[in-house]
Short mmCIF file of all heavy atoms in Angstrom, two decimals:
data_model
loop_
_atom_site.label_atom_id
_atom_site.label_comp_id
_atom_site.label_asym_id
_atom_site.label_seq_id
_atom_site.Cartn_x
_atom_site.Cartn_y
_atom_site.Cartn_z
N ILE W 69 127.17 96.40 95.37
CA ILE W 69 127.01 97.06 94.08
C ILE W 69 128.32 97.79 93.77
O ILE W 69 128.90 98.46 94.64
CB ILE W 69 125.84 98.08 94.10
CG1 ILE W 69 124.49 97.35 94.04
CG2 ILE W 69 125.94 99.08 92.94
CD1 ILE W 69 123.30 98.27 94.00
N GLY W 75 123.08 97.03 86.07
CA GLY W 75 122.19 96.82 87.22
C GLY W 75 121.50 95.45 87.10
O GLY W 75 121.01 95.09 86.03
N TYR W 77 119.81 93.96 90.42
CA TYR W 77 118.80 93.92 91.44
C TYR W 77 118.62 95.26 92.12
O TYR W 77 119.50 96.12 92.14
CB TYR W 77 119.23 92.91 92.55
CG TYR W 77 119.10 91.48 92.12
CD1 TYR W 77 120.16 90.82 91.50
CD2 TYR W 77 117.93 90.77 92.31
CE1 TYR W 77 120.06 89.52 91.08
CE2 TYR W 77 117.81 89.45 91.90
CZ TYR W 77 118.87 88.84 91.28
OH TYR W 77 118.75 87.54 90.86
N VAL W 88 127.71 104.06 101.08
CA VAL W 88 127.58 104.36 99.65
C VAL W 88 128.74 105.31 99.26
O VAL W 88 128.90 106.34 99.86
CB VAL W 88 126.23 105.01 99.35
CG1 VAL W 88 126.07 105.26 97.84
CG2 VAL W 88 125.08 104.17 99.89
N VAL W 90 130.72 107.35 95.99
CA VAL W 90 130.62 107.77 94.58
C VAL W 90 132.02 108.28 94.16
O VAL W 90 132.63 109.11 94.86
CB VAL W 90 129.59 108.90 94.39
CG1 VAL W 90 129.67 109.44 92.96
CG2 VAL W 90 128.19 108.37 94.64
N LYS W 92 134.38 110.14 91.39
CA LYS W 92 134.37 111.06 90.22
C LYS W 92 135.78 111.56 90.01
O LYS W 92 136.57 111.63 90.91
CB LYS W 92 133.48 112.30 90.56
CG LYS W 92 132.01 112.06 90.37
CD LYS W 92 131.29 113.40 90.32
CE LYS W 92 129.82 113.27 90.67
NZ LYS W 92 129.38 114.23 91.65
N VAL W 111 128.99 109.08 100.39
CA VAL W 111 127.91 110.06 100.28
C VAL W 111 126.76 109.80 101.25
O VAL W 111 126.01 110.72 101.56
CB VAL W 111 127.36 110.15 98.82
CG1 VAL W 111 128.40 110.75 97.89
CG2 VAL W 111 126.92 108.77 98.32
N VAL W 112 126.61 108.59 101.69
CA VAL W 112 125.50 108.27 102.60
C VAL W 112 125.72 106.93 103.25
O VAL W 112 126.50 106.12 102.77
CB VAL W 112 124.13 108.36 101.82
CG1 VAL W 112 124.06 107.35 100.74
CG2 VAL W 112 122.94 108.28 102.75
N TYR W 114 123.46 103.65 104.84
CA TYR W 114 122.10 103.10 104.85
C TYR W 114 121.86 102.20 106.08
O TYR W 114 122.79 101.46 106.46
CB TYR W 114 121.90 102.23 103.60
CG TYR W 114 121.72 103.01 102.33
CD1 TYR W 114 122.26 102.51 101.14
CD2 TYR W 114 121.00 104.17 102.25
CE1 TYR W 114 122.11 103.18 99.93
CE2 TYR W 114 120.80 104.86 101.06
CZ TYR W 114 121.38 104.35 99.90
OH TYR W 114 121.19 104.97 98.73
N SER W 119 116.56 101.86 100.83
CA SER W 119 116.57 101.03 99.61
C SER W 119 117.57 101.65 98.63
O SER W 119 117.86 102.83 98.71
CB SER W 119 115.14 101.02 98.99
OG SER W 119 114.80 102.31 98.58
N PHE W 120 118.06 100.82 97.73
CA PHE W 120 119.06 101.35 96.77
C PHE W 120 119.10 100.45 95.53
O PHE W 120 118.55 99.34 95.55
CB PHE W 120 120.43 101.43 97.44
CG PHE W 120 120.92 100.13 98.01
CD1 PHE W 120 121.64 99.24 97.25
CD2 PHE W 120 120.68 99.80 99.34
CE1 PHE W 120 122.12 98.03 97.75
CE2 PHE W 120 121.14 98.62 99.89
CZ PHE W 120 121.86 97.72 99.07
N GLY W 121 119.79 100.97 94.54
CA GLY W 121 119.95 100.19 93.31
C GLY W 121 118.85 100.42 92.31
O GLY W 121 118.73 99.71 91.31
N GLU W 122 117.97 101.41 92.52
CA GLU W 122 116.88 101.67 91.62
C GLU W 122 117.28 102.41 90.37
O GLU W 122 116.67 102.23 89.30
CB GLU W 122 115.75 102.41 92.33
CG GLU W 122 115.94 103.92 92.54
CD GLU W 122 117.06 104.26 93.53
OE1 GLU W 122 117.66 103.34 94.11
OE2 GLU W 122 117.35 105.46 93.71
N LEU W 123 118.33 103.24 90.49
CA LEU W 123 118.64 104.13 89.37
C LEU W 123 119.02 103.35 88.09
O LEU W 123 118.48 103.62 87.03
CB LEU W 123 119.81 105.07 89.75
CG LEU W 123 119.51 106.10 90.83
CD1 LEU W 123 120.72 106.94 91.11
CD2 LEU W 123 118.33 106.98 90.38
N ALA W 124 119.93 102.42 88.22
CA ALA W 124 120.39 101.63 87.06
C ALA W 124 119.19 100.90 86.43
O ALA W 124 119.11 100.76 85.22
CB ALA W 124 121.48 100.66 87.44
N LEU W 125 118.28 100.41 87.25
CA LEU W 125 117.18 99.66 86.72
C LEU W 125 116.13 100.57 86.08
O LEU W 125 115.52 100.23 85.07
CB LEU W 125 116.47 98.84 87.84
CG LEU W 125 117.37 97.88 88.64
CD1 LEU W 125 116.56 96.99 89.54
CD2 LEU W 125 118.25 97.05 87.72
N ALA W 129 120.96 102.48 83.18
CA ALA W 129 122.25 103.14 83.26
C ALA W 129 123.20 102.30 84.09
O ALA W 129 122.76 101.40 84.83
CB ALA W 129 122.06 104.52 83.93
N PRO W 130 124.53 102.56 83.98
CA PRO W 130 125.46 101.85 84.84
C PRO W 130 125.25 102.25 86.32
O PRO W 130 124.72 103.33 86.57
CB PRO W 130 126.84 102.35 84.39
CG PRO W 130 126.62 103.12 83.15
CD PRO W 130 125.17 103.49 83.07
N ARG W 131 125.62 101.40 87.23
CA ARG W 131 125.51 101.71 88.64
C ARG W 131 126.17 103.03 88.95
O ARG W 131 127.33 103.26 88.55
CB ARG W 131 126.14 100.62 89.47
CG ARG W 131 125.44 99.27 89.41
CD ARG W 131 124.05 99.33 89.97
NE ARG W 131 123.56 98.00 90.31
CZ ARG W 131 122.32 97.75 90.72
NH1 ARG W 131 121.45 98.74 90.82
NH2 ARG W 131 121.95 96.52 91.02
N ALA W 132 125.50 103.92 89.65
CA ALA W 132 126.00 105.28 89.88
C ALA W 132 126.84 105.41 91.15
O ALA W 132 127.41 106.45 91.42
CB ALA W 132 124.80 106.26 89.98
N ALA W 133 126.91 104.32 91.91
CA ALA W 133 127.64 104.38 93.20
C ALA W 133 128.08 102.96 93.56
O ALA W 133 127.63 101.98 92.97
CB ALA W 133 126.74 104.94 94.29
N THR W 134 129.02 102.88 94.47
CA THR W 134 129.46 101.59 95.02
C THR W 134 128.86 101.45 96.42
O THR W 134 128.86 102.42 97.19
CB THR W 134 130.98 101.53 95.09
OG1 THR W 134 131.49 101.64 93.77
CG2 THR W 134 131.47 100.23 95.71
N ILE W 135 128.35 100.25 96.74
CA ILE W 135 127.71 100.05 98.02
C ILE W 135 128.32 98.87 98.73
O ILE W 135 128.44 97.77 98.16
CB ILE W 135 126.20 99.89 97.84
CG1 ILE W 135 125.65 101.15 97.18
CG2 ILE W 135 125.52 99.63 99.21
CD1 ILE W 135 124.16 101.26 97.04
P1 1OR T 1 122.17 102.47 91.21
O1 1OR T 1 121.34 101.45 90.54
O2 1OR T 1 122.87 103.45 90.35
C1 1OR T 1 123.91 102.50 93.08
O3 1OR T 1 123.24 101.72 92.10
C2 1OR T 1 122.89 103.10 94.02
O4 1OR T 1 123.35 103.97 95.00
C3 1OR T 1 121.99 104.01 93.21
O5 1OR T 1 121.25 103.25 92.27
C4 1OR T 1 121.22 104.69 94.34
O6 1OR T 1 120.19 103.84 94.76
C5 1OR T 1 122.29 104.76 95.45
N1 1OR T 1 124.25 109.23 93.57
C6 1OR T 1 123.94 108.11 92.92
N2 1OR T 1 123.46 107.00 93.51
C7 1OR T 1 123.24 107.06 94.84
C8 1OR T 1 123.55 108.22 95.55
C9 1OR T 1 124.08 109.33 94.88
N3 1OR T 1 123.22 107.97 96.83
C10 1OR T 1 122.74 106.73 96.91
N4 1OR T 1 122.75 106.15 95.71
N5 1OR T 1 124.43 110.55 95.50
C11 1OR T 1 124.89 111.69 94.72
C12 1OR T 1 126.40 111.84 94.90
C13 1OR T 1 126.95 112.89 93.99
C14 1OR T 1 124.27 110.79 96.94
C15 1OR T 1 122.95 111.44 97.27
C16 1OR T 1 122.81 111.58 98.78
#
Side-chain angles (χ1 to χ4, degrees):
I69 285 182
Y77 287 89
V88 183
V90 173
K92 278 196 202 132
V111 292
V112 63
Y114 287 143
S119 65
F120 56 88
E122 77 291 358
L123 294 178
L125 305 190
R131 293 296 198 186
T134 297
I135 301 186

